[in-house]
Amino acid sequence: MKAEDSLSIAAPSESHPLQKAGTTLVALAILSAFIAAFGAGIQYPVLFFWLIISLSVSGGILYSIPVYKSLAGIKNNGVMFAKSTSRGAIAWGIAILFTGFYIILYWFPSLLEGLIRIMDPLSYVLRGIKADHWFLYGTFYSLAILIMGIKFIGKYRHSRYHVIRTFSVMFFQLGFAFLIPAFLIKLNQPEFYFSYFWPLKYSYLFPNDVQSLISSGNVGFFMVFWGAVMTFIATPILTYNYGKRWYCSWVCGCGGLAETLGDPYRHLSDKSLKAWKIERWMVYSVLVFVTVTTLLLWLNSWKGGAILGDLSGSFAKWYGFLIGSVFSGVIGTGFYPLMGGRVWCRFGCPMAAILGIFQRFKSKFRITTNGGQCISCGNCSTYCEMGIDVRAYAQKGENVIRASCVGCGICASVCPRGVLKLENLAEEGRFDPYIRPEDK
Amino acid sequence: MHIVIIGNGITGITCARNIRKADPEAEISVISSESEHFFSRTALMYIYMGHMKYEHTKPYEDWFWKKNRIKLIRGHVRYIGTEFKTLSLVDGSMIHYSKLIIATGSKPNKFGWPGQDLKGVQGLYSLQDLESMNVHTSGIEHAVVVGGGLIGIEMAEMLLSRNIQVTFLVREKAYWDNVLPAEEASLISRHIQKHHINLLVETELKEIISDENGRVKSIITSRGEEINCQFVGLTAGVNPNIDFLKDSGIQTNKGILVNEFLETNIQNVFAAGDCAEFRNPKPNHPAVEQLWYTGKLQAEALSKTISGKRTVYERGIWFNSAKFLDIEYQTYGLIFSKLNQDEASFYWEHPNGQIAFRATYKKASRELIGFNFLGLRFRQNVAERWINSKISVDQAIRNLKEGWFDAEFSKPHYIEILDAFSACTDFKKVN
Ligand SMILES: Cc1cc2nc3c(=O)[nH]c(=O)nc-3n(C[C@H](O)[C@H](O)[C@H](O)COP(=O)(O)OP(=O)(O)OC[C@H]3O[C@@H](n4cnc5c(N)ncnc54)[C@H](O)[C@@H]3O)c2cc1C
Ligand code: SF4
Ligand code: SF4
């Protein structure tokens, strides 16, 4: 008898009628977006703007109502059965939709003309200029974090850690990554994202950007100063005290999207040892690559382009194409429903790589394991979006100290035995495993 | 030396791993009939509910066994010939051992109820049980769970996750009140009802009624009530899985009889985990320990013995944990449902009725005996240290923060607990 196999064809999970209605409304919003993109948006921009916004917002709300109405607690029922969350047909459909959207956005933005035009009124209000495809993208992105954030808060409302950090990512996305850059444009200042730093926003320390910011005046000068302080001073200090989570699951927009829109897919990350090996290889290569690129660019600009000529420039272009577009966008977000929400954060983000090095070697942060209480059930490892095999540590009574851990805290929440706790304690002894008094 | 282990549960596998760590040379084989690889039995419910798939419940990747040269044999042991140190398997093959560890776990209790073997009537212990539950509960509307232990509440939650109505028969006055003190038992019972589980207390199963196809159609309770249902979960405890030892010469009672070194009456044959029974259990401790934790701890002690360092099994400060639907439970030290003569206890419950705390202590000396936590998390090493060093209950409650294990930003309930404690004792709050 092969009980192992047959269990995988278990019962279908039934979704609540309100959730079905919510999903339908969101599907209609997507349909309207298509219609708008094919030209109708140019004719009726206001109509389509409100149609899409109201359909997606009310769809999100309808979808969230049953989440808020059910008793608070971890409810991952049916996650492994539902076609949308177990790499079924729906998941593939969503992945194709997302990936397609990114490809068009990056390389064929003219196809989005109809959609971009419906954003014009909002863009004029916020930025004083007409919309472009990046403004369209930013609006959708923020909307996704807000709507899915509300759902996320409902799902984890019994945990104040999750409620507070989700408000935090919603706040930073809406304020720092959407409204402030828009207002800056309206005020004739350089567009700047105060919540992104080198090396994630690599160009902020590239000579071109620095020079053009500085030449734009005092505000630009402050921006360069802010970026440098955040990269070289604030980042190490904050990471020493709180671990990389202060950024990855409290501030960062990529993290914010992964935590909210990506939440239903977090169990799809690969937990194998092999994946961990690939991860270390890739993410540190990206870090080396972006660091070398930055240094080369400075060297080149210092020598007035004498050594490398245009070579360093094309280096930067390639980085932008491969890492900035293909990896972080198309694969990073497009593959949410297939590989989980943190593909980019885990395998590609150079910021995560630096923060991770601090976290592993010089930080007070750790996930403490509570003595011998682990029953090896596997919930923690399954729901770790970074693919960390948390159980491997917990069942040995060891603390989890891993470069990649973004401190989302979901492992601690899904643990049915209260074994895990994220905390910042003294550095000394953070690697010490639990030993029973009898064995001392 | 060929060390053979029967059973690939937590006990058998912990033995295999620890023996390998101590001795890189030993030949180690693990025989088991239930599954190819070690999986976590405690996670069965999550497979059914769709939180995890079977592969998520395997604590080690499949390459692990080969790399550590632990030979896995899928098969069922039919007979142990202790005289010639051989095992015979159901498929006819024979295996020779130098040392034998029996870690065959448990099987569900069945008390001879009429109709207990009907289709749709079963316990929950093995993967095969889970598979059968999956088949027999598909598309049904109403199920009955009999027996109010830890597996019973898990089964009720499982059924609920598939929108099946559940009636839960419990012999006691409140859920699990033979183990939990009355306040905790009643808190959990209220929570069970909040989840719309029909909890029938002081009610037992009398008979299971069949339909014309040999499938359960209803049950009759000890109160004479008939309840229609298409599935009956029997979760009135488990007992050691040792029937195959009958003519082996290995002494058994309820379980395989062992001393404090986990040695049986036959040389080079050992038993541990759910299937072992201590000849002389420690006072207040059960002779058969049917827990994940105890299986692991027994196996750790036994591996030392097998690797040449004869070691007594020490249970240590008692601890356990569980989850009742949404409410987590942790316990440290021995707290019984009824206080002993010389004990007193302090109980605090949050107004929301979902969070509770208890500390039990010696009346005369005020020395701490143990804690119960519901909806709260507490550090095991702090509780252990306090109980071992016999600090007073007053000191413990004043310092609860030290062991607090709730997630960051959680409400600091230890303050309310201290306030409540100060108000009802002559203990004075010290800032
Ligand atoms: C649903 C459920 C939930 C639980 N939850 C908890 C919990 O939260 N906390 C806790 O502490 N405990 C829990 N337990 C109890 C815990 O799982 C057991 O105490 C533990 O698994 C026992 O481990 P073991 O290695 O001794 O035996 P088992 O895990 O039972 O392993 C024995 C293995 O030996 C095999 N076997 C038996 N006889 C033979 C034979 N003759 N030949 C070959 N193979 C054989 C069996 O098929 C089985 O695979 C739970 C149990 C169940 C069923
Ligand atoms: S280990 Fe836990 S906190 Fe860290 S990323 Fe994984 S789930 Fe999140
Ligand atoms: S979820 Fe908790 S009990 Fe389960 S394996 Fe992880 S730490 Fe252990």
Side-chain angles (χ1 to χ4, degrees):
Chain A
M1 181 156 32
K2 285 272 276 182
E4 292 100 310
D5 300 334
S6 54
L7 279 168
S8 53
I9 42 149
S13 72
E14 282 184 35
S15 55
H16 195 281
L18 278 179
Q19 295 197 320
K20 280 191 189 137
T23 314
T24 312
L25 290 188
V26 172
L28 285 175
I30 295 171
L31 186 68
S32 317
F34 269 106
I35 298 173
F38 280 114
I42 302 175
Q43 265 179 310
Y44 311 103
V46 180
L47 173 74
F48 273 94
F49 176 80
W50 286 113
L51 193 62
I52 293 172
I53 299 283
S54 54
L55 279 175
S56 47
V57 170
S58 51
I61 291 173
L62 278 190
Y63 193 89
S64 302
I65 289 175
V67 176
Y68 279 87
K69 280 190 130 179
S70 72
L71 294 172
I74 295 298
K75 302 272 151 42
N76 284 321
N77 297 346
V79 166
M80 298 294 165
F81 307 144
K83 286 195 181 61
S84 52
T85 53
S86 62
R87 298 197 183 115
I90 299 176
W92 278 93
I94 299 174
I96 291 169
L97 192 77
F98 278 7
T99 319
F101 175 73
Y102 274 95
I103 291 174
I104 292 173
L105 180 75
Y106 283 126
W107 294 291
F108 311 101
S110 59
L111 290 179
L112 294 172
E113 188 58 24
L115 260 184
I116 296 169
R117 294 287 67 84
I118 72 168
M119 292 297 161
D120 278 339
L122 182 66
S123 183
Y124 276 115
V125 171
L126 294 177
R127 316 196 300 167
I129 54 172
K130 68 180 184 140
D132 58 8
H133 59 294
W134 296 122
F135 182 73
L136 169 78
Y137 177 50
T139 312
F140 280 4
Y141 198 101
S142 305
L143 209 56
I145 291 189
L146 294 180
I147 294 176
M148 292 304 280
I150 288 170
K151 187 204 145 212
F152 185 91
I153 289 175
K155 183 170 164 194
Y156 296 99
R157 66 187 183 282
H158 54 287
S159 160
R160 289 176 87 200
Y161 181 75
H162 293 309
V163 173
I164 295 172
R165 89 184 161 87
T166 307
F167 275 122
S168 172
V169 291
M170 287 159 74
F171 168 80
F172 279 104
Q173 176 59 35
L174 186 64
F176 281 57
F178 186 66
L179 294 178
I180 293 179
F183 292 148
L184 283 170
I185 294 176
K186 192 162 195 171
L187 300 172
N188 269 325
Q189 296 295 341
E191 182 183 9
F192 192 85
Y193 295 79
F194 286 96
S195 53
Y196 288 107
F197 326 112
W198 186 93
L200 174 54
K201 189 81 182 158
Y202 46 89
S203 64
Y204 279 3
L205 285 186
F206 282 1
N208 275 350
D209 273 45
V210 170
Q211 279 146 13
S212 78
L213 279 176
I214 289 182
S215 62
S216 75
N218 282 343
V219 178
F221 191 80
F222 173 74
M223 288 166 179
V224 173
F225 172 76
W226 170 263
V229 167
M230 288 311 292
T231 298
F232 295 113
I233 300 174
T235 294
I237 294 179
L238 288 168
T239 311
Y240 174 72
N241 283 305
Y242 307 110
K244 80 199 255 186
R245 55 183 173 153
W246 75 268
Y247 191 68
C248 298
S249 52
W250 285 74
V251 174
C252 179
C254 308
L257 194 71
E259 289 301 322
T260 51
L261 185 68
D263 175 62
Y265 311 116
R266 56 177 65 244
H267 56 283
L268 298 171
S269 61
D270 189 336
K271 317 303 189 295
S272 67
L273 191 63
K274 202 166 129 206
W276 186 14
K277 286 185 179 153
I278 298 174
E279 162 197 319
R280 282 184 290 184
W281 228 92
M282 284 181 75
V283 76
Y284 296 116
S285 304
V286 173
L287 176 62
V288 169
F289 190 82
V290 71
T291 312
V292 169
T293 308
T294 310
L295 290 176
L296 278 179
L297 286 174
W298 278 104
L299 203 65
N300 197 45
S301 91
W302 179 55
K303 290 278 181 191
I307 350 171
L308 297 156
D310 202 34
L311 194 65
S312 59
S314 63
F315 219 53
K317 250 186 225 144
W318 272 99
Y319 181 86
F321 171 73
L322 276 178
I323 308 298
S325 311
V326 178
F327 204 154
S328 79
V330 180
I331 300 177
T333 311
F335 286 16
Y336 266 25
L338 304 176
M339 297 174 70
R342 289 277 191 176
V343 174
W344 158 251
C345 311
R346 182 181 178 194
F347 294 99
C349 177
M351 182 83 182
I354 295 197
L355 293 168
I357 294 172
F358 280 120
Q359 170 158 292
R360 173 67 181 66
F361 295 104
K362 196 74 192 157
S363 171
K364 294 178 172 180
F365 172 72
R366 91 283 298 275
I367 303 177
T368 311
T369 296
N370 196 9
Q373 291 274 25
C374 175
I375 51 169
S376 300
C377 68
N379 275 297
C380 52
S381 299
T382 305
Y383 286 92
C384 175
E385 55 190 349
M386 294 304 281
I388 298 173
D389 190 0
V390 183
R391 165 174 57 193
Y393 300 80
Q395 64 191 359
K396 284 190 278 186
E398 289 173 3
N399 296 338
V400 187
I401 300 175
R402 278 278 288 270
S404 62
C405 169
V406 291
C408 65
I410 294 296
C411 54
S413 294
V414 296
C415 173
R417 295 295 177 272
V419 177
L420 304 163
K421 180 176 181 186
L422 284 68
E423 49 190 354
N424 318 305
L425 293 177
E427 250 189 285
E428 297 81 59
R430 70 182 189 128
F431 286 97
D432 296 352
Y434 166 79
I435 301 170
R436 296 199 309 148
E438 290 73 26
D439 294 334
K440 273 181 188 150
Chain B
M1 187 163 71
H2 188 195
I3 295 163
V4 176
I5 300 166
I6 313 178
N8 70 351
I10 179 66
T11 312
I13 288 303
T14 307
C15 284
R17 282 181 42 251
N18 285 2
I19 293 170
R20 170 55 74 233
K21 261 192 262 168
D23 178 359
E25 303 304 321
E27 189 187 348
I28 303 174
S29 305
V30 182
I31 309 172
S32 205
S33 46
E34 180 181 4
S35 62
E36 190 79 32
H37 297 104
F38 169 49
F39 73 99
S40 181
R41 190 172 306 291
T42 53
L44 282 176
M45 65 182 293
Y46 299 108
I47 304 179
Y48 182 90
M49 299 202 299
H51 293 207
M52 285 191 275
K53 292 188 173 150
Y54 167 72
E55 65 244 34
H56 296 115
T57 68
K58 290 194 273 189
Y60 302 93
E61 287 186 63
D62 292 350
W63 49 258
F64 177 89
W65 311 105
K66 201 160 179 197
K67 180 170 170 255
N68 289 289
R69 286 166 292 113
I70 294 169
K71 190 171 167 200
L72 304 179
I73 302 168
R74 183 97 185 249
H76 196 80
V77 177
R78 188 171 49 97
Y79 178 74
I80 302 180
T82 48
E83 201 177 337
F84 300 106
K85 294 189 166 184
T86 50
L87 307 177
S88 9
L89 270 53
V90 166
D91 66 6
S93 58
M94 300 266 274
I95 293 171
H96 182 82
Y97 66 83
S98 329
K99 288 187 178 175
L100 177 68
I101 299 173
I102 308 171
T104 48
S106 307
K107 57 184 192 315
N109 283 339
K110 285 190 173 183
F111 292 120
W113 291 293
Q116 66 181 17
D117 296 318
L118 290 173
K119 266 187 251 163
V121 180
Q122 65 166 97
L124 174 62
Y125 191 82
S126 64
L127 267 178
Q128 287 74 20
D129 291 341
L130 189 68
E131 184 187 30
S132 138
M133 181 169 167
N134 189 38
V135 170
H136 286 113
T137 56
S138 109
I140 70 165
E141 278 175 8
H142 199 138
V144 172
V145 176
V146 182
L150 291 174
I151 301 180
I153 185 94
E154 288 190 0
M155 218 177 192
E157 184 177 357
M158 291 159 76
L159 293 160
L160 218 53
S161 79
R162 296 207 185 172
N163 298 326
I164 297 166
Q165 270 181 14
V166 181
T167 301
F168 193 9
L169 303 195
V170 169
R171 194 176 52 186
E172 291 77 23
K173 275 207 183 66
Y175 170 74
W176 220 34
D177 82 351
N178 51 336
V179 175
L180 292 175
E183 289 84 357
E184 284 92 322
S186 113
L187 186 155
I188 301 297
S189 301
R190 277 179 275 133
H191 184 65
I192 291 173
Q193 282 155 339
K194 213 167 144 189
H195 273 268
H196 306 293
I197 293 171
N198 182 17
L199 179 69
L200 299 182
V201 296
E202 297 185 289
T203 310
E204 290 179 58
L205 173 64
K206 211 170 103 202
E207 192 182 343
I208 308 168
I209 313 280
S210 164
D211 69 3
E212 57 280 7
N213 304 316
R215 213 196 134 113
V216 51
K217 85 165 196 231
S218 66
I219 62 142
I220 296 181
T221 70
S222 55
R223 297 170 178 237
E225 190 188 353
E226 180 166 359
I227 301 171
N228 291 332
C229 58
Q230 299 83 45
F231 179 81
V232 177
L234 301 176
T235 59
V238 295
N239 66 83
N241 187 4
I242 53 167
D243 293 343
F244 70 108
L245 293 179
K246 262 182 208 128
D247 310 312
S248 64
I250 299 168
Q251 274 179 10
T252 60
N253 176 35
K254 260 195 286 180
I256 304 167
L257 287 169
V258 294
N259 61 13
E260 65 274 28
F261 296 99
L262 301 151
E263 297 160 337
T264 67
N265 62 312
I266 310 255
Q267 227 195 341
N268 291 321
V269 177
F270 308 83
D274 274 28
C275 65
E277 175 177 351
F278 289 102
R279 290 176 192 273
N280 304 303
K282 261 176 48 178
N284 286 331
H285 284 69
V288 184
E289 297 185 320
Q290 296 158 323
L291 288 176
W292 185 264
Y293 311 115
T294 46
K296 200 167 162 181
L297 293 173
Q298 290 182 17
E300 282 165 7
L302 177 56
S303 324
K304 288 186 195 154
T305 300
I306 301 240
S307 314
K309 189 171 161 238
R310 198 153 174 260
T311 305
V312 173
Y313 163 65
E314 281 285 354
R315 176 68 177 85
I317 298 289
W318 176 266
F319 68 95
N320 197 8
S321 56
K323 191 170 180 186
F324 309 107
L325 301 158
D326 301 318
I327 300 183
E328 287 173 21
Y329 159 70
Q330 297 188 334
T331 184
Y332 299 104
L334 285 173
I335 297 190
F336 298 102
S337 55
K338 299 270 174 309
L339 286 178
N340 288 325
Q341 281 283 307
D342 59 340
E343 294 174 354
S345 109
F346 166 74
Y347 177 80
W348 170 87
E349 189 174 306
H350 190 276
N352 75 6
Q354 305 232 59
I355 303 174
F357 164 84
R358 176 185 299 277
T360 302
Y361 53 96
K362 288 255 159 66
K363 253 187 220 160
S365 62
R366 298 188 74 76
E367 130 196 345
L368 178 70
I369 296 171
F371 293 126
N372 272 350
F373 295 94
L374 286 178
L376 299 170
R377 296 175 172 184
F378 198 80
R379 272 177 223 274
Q380 182 171 359
N381 55 357
V382 173
E384 254 169 5
R385 180 154 42 81
W386 287 355
I387 297 168
N388 263 329
S389 58
K390 306 193 163 139
I391 71 166
S392 71
V393 65
D394 312 272
Q395 203 186 341
I397 293 185
R398 186 161 52 215
N399 293 321
L400 279 179
K401 186 179 176 197
E402 188 185 334
W404 215 247
F405 206 69
D406 275 358
E408 294 157 301
F409 300 108
S410 299
K411 298 238 167 77
H413 293 299
Y414 49 86
I415 296 176
E416 293 152 69
I417 293 173
L418 177 59
D419 286 345
F421 184 70
S422 318
C424 72
T425 55
D426 48 5
F427 161 77
K428 290 284 163 281
K429 201 165 154 185
V430 181
N431 290 315

PDB file of all heavy atoms in Angstrom, chain B residues 248-263:
ATOM      1  N   SER B 248       7.898 -15.084  21.749  1.00  0.00           N
ATOM      2  CA  SER B 248       9.324 -14.777  21.590  1.00  0.00           C
ATOM      3  C   SER B 248      10.128 -14.953  22.874  1.00  0.00           C
ATOM      4  O   SER B 248      11.344 -14.927  22.854  1.00  0.00           O
ATOM      5  CB  SER B 248       9.478 -13.339  21.121  1.00  0.00           C
ATOM      6  OG  SER B 248       8.987 -12.482  22.149  1.00  0.00           O
ATOM      7  N   GLY B 249       9.440 -15.094  23.999  1.00  0.00           N
ATOM      8  CA  GLY B 249      10.151 -15.174  25.265  1.00  0.00           C
ATOM      9  C   GLY B 249      10.438 -13.814  25.874  1.00  0.00           C
ATOM     10  O   GLY B 249      10.932 -13.700  26.990  1.00  0.00           O
ATOM     11  N   ILE B 250      10.108 -12.759  25.134  1.00  0.00           N
ATOM     12  CA  ILE B 250      10.297 -11.412  25.679  1.00  0.00           C
ATOM     13  C   ILE B 250       9.095 -11.097  26.570  1.00  0.00           C
ATOM     14  O   ILE B 250       7.948 -11.217  26.141  1.00  0.00           O
ATOM     15  CB  ILE B 250      10.404 -10.372  24.541  1.00  0.00           C
ATOM     16  CG1 ILE B 250      11.607 -10.700  23.658  1.00  0.00           C
ATOM     17  CG2 ILE B 250      10.505  -8.960  25.093  1.00  0.00           C
ATOM     18  CD1 ILE B 250      11.659  -9.925  22.364  1.00  0.00           C
ATOM     19  N   GLN B 251       9.394 -10.727  27.809  1.00  0.00           N
ATOM     20  CA  GLN B 251       8.310 -10.524  28.765  1.00  0.00           C
ATOM     21  C   GLN B 251       7.506  -9.270  28.462  1.00  0.00           C
ATOM     22  O   GLN B 251       8.074  -8.209  28.217  1.00  0.00           O
ATOM     23  CB  GLN B 251       8.880 -10.384  30.171  1.00  0.00           C
ATOM     24  CG  GLN B 251       9.089 -11.717  30.861  1.00  0.00           C
ATOM     25  CD  GLN B 251       9.667 -11.520  32.243  1.00  0.00           C
ATOM     26  OE1 GLN B 251       9.733 -10.409  32.756  1.00  0.00           O
ATOM     27  NE2 GLN B 251      10.103 -12.619  32.843  1.00  0.00           N
ATOM     28  N   THR B 252       6.201  -9.424  28.514  1.00  0.00           N
ATOM     29  CA  THR B 252       5.345  -8.266  28.290  1.00  0.00           C
ATOM     30  C   THR B 252       4.246  -8.229  29.337  1.00  0.00           C
ATOM     31  O   THR B 252       3.908  -9.245  29.956  1.00  0.00           O
ATOM     32  CB  THR B 252       4.668  -8.339  26.902  1.00  0.00           C
ATOM     33  OG1 THR B 252       3.882  -9.531  26.852  1.00  0.00           O
ATOM     34  CG2 THR B 252       5.679  -8.341  25.790  1.00  0.00           C
ATOM     35  N   ASN B 253       3.725  -7.061  29.542  1.00  0.00           N
ATOM     36  CA  ASN B 253       2.494  -6.918  30.330  1.00  0.00           C
ATOM     37  C   ASN B 253       1.539  -6.145  29.436  1.00  0.00           C
ATOM     38  O   ASN B 253       1.072  -6.656  28.429  1.00  0.00           O
ATOM     39  CB  ASN B 253       2.824  -6.205  31.644  1.00  0.00           C
ATOM     40  CG  ASN B 253       1.604  -5.934  32.478  1.00  0.00           C
ATOM     41  OD1 ASN B 253       0.687  -6.744  32.482  1.00  0.00           O
ATOM     42  ND2 ASN B 253       1.559  -4.799  33.139  1.00  0.00           N
ATOM     43  N   LYS B 254       1.297  -4.837  29.745  1.00  0.00           N
ATOM     44  CA  LYS B 254       0.603  -4.008  28.755  1.00  0.00           C
ATOM     45  C   LYS B 254       1.545  -3.740  27.583  1.00  0.00           C
ATOM     46  O   LYS B 254       1.175  -3.776  26.429  1.00  0.00           O
ATOM     47  CB  LYS B 254       0.186  -2.680  29.398  1.00  0.00           C
ATOM     48  CG  LYS B 254      -1.264  -2.663  29.793  1.00  0.00           C
ATOM     49  CD  LYS B 254      -1.754  -1.259  30.080  1.00  0.00           C
ATOM     50  CE  LYS B 254      -1.236  -0.737  31.392  1.00  0.00           C
ATOM     51  NZ  LYS B 254      -1.581   0.575  31.834  1.00  0.00           N
ATOM     52  N   GLY B 255       2.802  -3.441  27.955  1.00  0.00           N
ATOM     53  CA  GLY B 255       3.833  -3.204  26.951  1.00  0.00           C
ATOM     54  C   GLY B 255       4.994  -4.153  27.169  1.00  0.00           C
ATOM     55  O   GLY B 255       4.875  -5.113  27.952  1.00  0.00           O
ATOM     56  N   ILE B 256       6.096  -3.899  26.498  1.00  0.00           N
ATOM     57  CA  ILE B 256       7.285  -4.728  26.685  1.00  0.00           C
ATOM     58  C   ILE B 256       7.955  -4.289  27.976  1.00  0.00           C
ATOM     59  O   ILE B 256       8.297  -3.112  28.129  1.00  0.00           O
ATOM     60  CB  ILE B 256       8.259  -4.539  25.501  1.00  0.00           C
ATOM     61  CG1 ILE B 256       7.546  -4.854  24.182  1.00  0.00           C
ATOM     62  CG2 ILE B 256       9.500  -5.396  25.694  1.00  0.00           C
ATOM     63  CD1 ILE B 256       8.305  -4.400  22.951  1.00  0.00           C
ATOM     64  N   LEU B 257       8.146  -5.242  28.890  1.00  0.00           N
ATOM     65  CA  LEU B 257       8.657  -4.855  30.207  1.00  0.00           C
ATOM     66  C   LEU B 257      10.148  -4.528  30.129  1.00  0.00           C
ATOM     67  O   LEU B 257      10.952  -5.314  29.616  1.00  0.00           O
ATOM     68  CB  LEU B 257       8.403  -5.974  31.217  1.00  0.00           C
ATOM     69  CG  LEU B 257       6.921  -6.086  31.620  1.00  0.00           C
ATOM     70  CD1 LEU B 257       6.663  -7.355  32.393  1.00  0.00           C
ATOM     71  CD2 LEU B 257       6.476  -4.858  32.416  1.00  0.00           C
ATOM     72  N   VAL B 258      10.508  -3.347  30.638  1.00  0.00           N
ATOM     73  CA  VAL B 258      11.911  -2.931  30.626  1.00  0.00           C
ATOM     74  C   VAL B 258      12.295  -2.347  31.980  1.00  0.00           C
ATOM     75  O   VAL B 258      11.438  -1.927  32.756  1.00  0.00           O
ATOM     76  CB  VAL B 258      12.182  -1.843  29.543  1.00  0.00           C
ATOM     77  CG1 VAL B 258      11.998  -2.393  28.146  1.00  0.00           C
ATOM     78  CG2 VAL B 258      11.310  -0.617  29.770  1.00  0.00           C
ATOM     79  N   ASN B 259      13.603  -2.363  32.246  1.00  0.00           N
ATOM     80  CA  ASN B 259      14.101  -1.689  33.444  1.00  0.00           C
ATOM     81  C   ASN B 259      14.454  -0.241  33.087  1.00  0.00           C
ATOM     82  O   ASN B 259      14.183   0.217  31.980  1.00  0.00           O
ATOM     83  CB  ASN B 259      15.310  -2.441  34.015  1.00  0.00           C
ATOM     84  CG  ASN B 259      16.462  -2.496  33.010  1.00  0.00           C
ATOM     85  OD1 ASN B 259      16.447  -1.788  31.999  1.00  0.00           O
ATOM     86  ND2 ASN B 259      17.432  -3.337  33.278  1.00  0.00           N
ATOM     87  N   GLU B 260      15.107   0.448  34.017  1.00  0.00           N
ATOM     88  CA  GLU B 260      15.372   1.869  33.776  1.00  0.00           C
ATOM     89  C   GLU B 260      16.437   2.085  32.703  1.00  0.00           C
ATOM     90  O   GLU B 260      16.669   3.204  32.260  1.00  0.00           O
ATOM     91  CB  GLU B 260      15.725   2.593  35.083  1.00  0.00           C
ATOM     92  CG  GLU B 260      17.018   2.155  35.747  1.00  0.00           C
ATOM     93  CD  GLU B 260      16.848   0.932  36.663  1.00  0.00           C
ATOM     94  OE1 GLU B 260      15.931   0.119  36.397  1.00  0.00           O
ATOM     95  OE2 GLU B 260      17.636   0.787  37.605  1.00  0.00           O
ATOM     96  N   PHE B 261      17.108   0.983  32.271  1.00  0.00           N
ATOM     97  CA  PHE B 261      18.050   1.084  31.150  1.00  0.00           C
ATOM     98  C   PHE B 261      17.377   0.713  29.823  1.00  0.00           C
ATOM     99  O   PHE B 261      18.040   0.599  28.805  1.00  0.00           O
ATOM    100  CB  PHE B 261      19.249   0.156  31.366  1.00  0.00           C
ATOM    101  CG  PHE B 261      20.080   0.545  32.568  1.00  0.00           C
ATOM    102  CD1 PHE B 261      19.921  -0.097  33.773  1.00  0.00           C
ATOM    103  CD2 PHE B 261      21.007   1.573  32.462  1.00  0.00           C
ATOM    104  CE1 PHE B 261      20.679   0.272  34.877  1.00  0.00           C
ATOM    105  CE2 PHE B 261      21.779   1.937  33.569  1.00  0.00           C
ATOM    106  CZ  PHE B 261      21.601   1.295  34.780  1.00  0.00           C
ATOM    107  N   LEU B 262      16.089   0.453  29.870  1.00  0.00           N
ATOM    108  CA  LEU B 262      15.311   0.057  28.697  1.00  0.00           C
ATOM    109  C   LEU B 262      15.726  -1.316  28.171  1.00  0.00           C
ATOM    110  O   LEU B 262      15.584  -1.614  26.984  1.00  0.00           O
ATOM    111  CB  LEU B 262      15.397   1.139  27.601  1.00  0.00           C
ATOM    112  CG  LEU B 262      14.877   2.492  28.081  1.00  0.00           C
ATOM    113  CD1 LEU B 262      15.567   3.652  27.374  1.00  0.00           C
ATOM    114  CD2 LEU B 262      13.370   2.572  27.925  1.00  0.00           C
ATOM    115  N   GLU B 263      16.251  -2.150  29.083  1.00  0.00           N
ATOM    116  CA  GLU B 263      16.622  -3.510  28.734  1.00  0.00           C
ATOM    117  C   GLU B 263      15.450  -4.438  29.030  1.00  0.00           C
ATOM    118  O   GLU B 263      14.786  -4.297  30.064  1.00  0.00           O
ATOM    119  CB  GLU B 263      17.841  -3.958  29.558  1.00  0.00           C
ATOM    120  CG  GLU B 263      19.081  -3.118  29.274  1.00  0.00           C
ATOM    121  CD  GLU B 263      20.151  -3.192  30.375  1.00  0.00           C
ATOM    122  OE1 GLU B 263      19.813  -3.512  31.528  1.00  0.00           O
ATOM    123  OE2 GLU B 263      21.318  -2.902  30.086  1.00  0.00           O
TER     124      GLU B 263
END
